[in-house]
Amino acid sequence: MADARNAAPPDFRDGFALQDLPDGGKVLGRVDTEDVLLVRQGDELFAVGAHCTHYHGPLAEGLVVGETVRCPWHHACFSLRTGEALRAPALDPVSCWRVERVGGIAYVREKQVAPAAGPVQRSSGSRSLPASVVIVGGGAAGLAAADMLRRTGYEGPLTMLSADDSPPSDRPNLSKDFLAGTAQDDWIPLRPAEFYAERRIDLVLNARVARFDPQGRSVQLGTGKIYQYDALLIATGAEPVRLDIPGAIDSQVYYLRSFTDSRAIVARAALAKSVVVVGASFIGLEVAASLRARGIGVHVVAPESQPLERVMGPEVGRFIRRLHEEHGVVFHLGQTVGRGDGRTVTLTDGTALDADFIVLGVGVRPAIELAERAGLTIDRGIAVNEYLETSAPAIFAAGDVARWPDPHSGDRIRVEHWVVAGRQGQTAARNMLGARERFDAVPFFWSQHYDVTINYVGHAERWDRIEIDGALDARDCAVTYKRGDRTLAVATVSRDLLSLEKERVMEGRG
Ligand SMILES: Cc1cc2nc3c(=O)[nH]c(=O)nc-3n(C[C@H](O)[C@H](O)[C@H](O)COP(=O)(O)OP(=O)(O)OC[C@H]3O[C@@H](n4cnc5c(N)ncnc54)[C@H](O)[C@@H]3O)c2cc1C
Ligand code: FES
């Protein structure tokens, strides 16, 4: 009998027998040279590109929910009907083909031109479309908002003011493949330069906003230049917490937030044999993994007893620690850095470590000073309602800065996740145009350490029980964080489909 796993994918031009495709089922095949996913939903058949437009994730291993398919890697969501990228992190559509049914056979015919997303459904009573929009911030939330405004047909002036010196970048990559040397420079910009001109997005770089005036509806740069707005999005993200290490010289100390920061570390690493990473946070540990891939000796210094314990619990913490130790990282836990001398750093227990350079990954702080000074309501972040509106009229906030009422946990939460920032930018954009759409996405993040990726859905700041199904050491497991009978969050390793299923259940779509 032929082994189905080794069978060539079916050519959908030749037809596919529907008896082999149950309702709700999907099958991977080909059309000409392209990989195509054929999906059956009731009487309807859909054919879409099989690779996610974010990082090329295999949609055939994803989850079909209604008329959408979700990517197993970072949970992007595409319309099966139009191919549109409905939810970040993917921003570009997948291709769509027309499917014809002849008797019990489905034939995939010609590729279809993707229809424009079309204007948002405006809720009754919403104010008129904004005469102009200003976005402060050129990160995940800011770009996703600008993209969505244009995608949904907003024609007015649209300005993005970014303190960065590079156009919006793939920030998560900066501590992973780019830092490890396996991603090139041109992978990092989220959009090519032409995108901004074609969409008439006035992207202004090196433009740090110094203040804004909610009454006068204007923002002012540090240079004094003033921009008027009719609607404003604050998406200023977060900034690394700075730490003074007595005796360390400035040129020895690095932080990682921007493309420029990552390039600086790459350049320094090329000349170095040893690095001390201060902080066993996600970013600190990803930096450790990437610098090990460059063959540098890595010491991680952190005050906690296990890395990531506060966020993911002791079991995951121990697993992550072992994983890094297997790759040669040396941990100094329960320690902080006492002082440096330009070549070494001395820990609080007196241990001296060689440190050609030091990377500080000791957390971030939301960039909320502007909002605070402008009198917006602050709640350990910028307080927003379910529509991502701040306390000031026509001002929205999204991404790392925003604390919102999360319907799943019942708490007001603020998270620092790439996918959440992109999705909030998209929702804020639609709400600027009158959609009145609640932000109710289940938080999701991922983190990558060597060949292990952890996916995490939900939000658990405190739990009373952790259940582990499978084995962390076998790199095949689901870790569930519970309070009482409620599942707050689920972390998975090598169980991407389960992560999507948990997301769907948490959304209340059973
Ligand atoms: C190295 C690294 C790796 C990461 N990896 C992951 C990961 O694997 N998974 C994950 O879920 N998350 C990850 N994150 C977190 C994720 O990148 C953030 O949650 C996300 O970028 C937040 O998006 P944002 O738009 O809110 O802010 P940002 O992307 O930080 O963008 C903020 C923007 O605002 C600008 N700005 C700030 N102040 C001003 C001002 N006054 N005037 C004008 N512009 C201003 C900044 O210059 C920047 O352009 C990572 C972060 C870093 C730094
Ligand atoms: S590869 Fe699909 S969401 Fe990232």
Side-chain angles (χ1 to χ4, degrees), residues 137-138 140-141 162-164 171 176 207 209 237 257 400 416-418 446:
S162 172
D164 286 349
R171 238 179 261 292
K176 304 180 181 68
V209 172
R257 185 75 192 175
D400 285 4
E416 291 149 7
H417 304 346
W418 181 254
W446 82 100

Side-chain angles (χ1 to χ4, degrees), residues 52-57 71 73-76 78 89-90:
C52 174
T53 55
H54 177 228
Y55 272 23
H56 232 62
C71 177
W73 286 0
H74 317 112
H75 294 203
F78 297 91

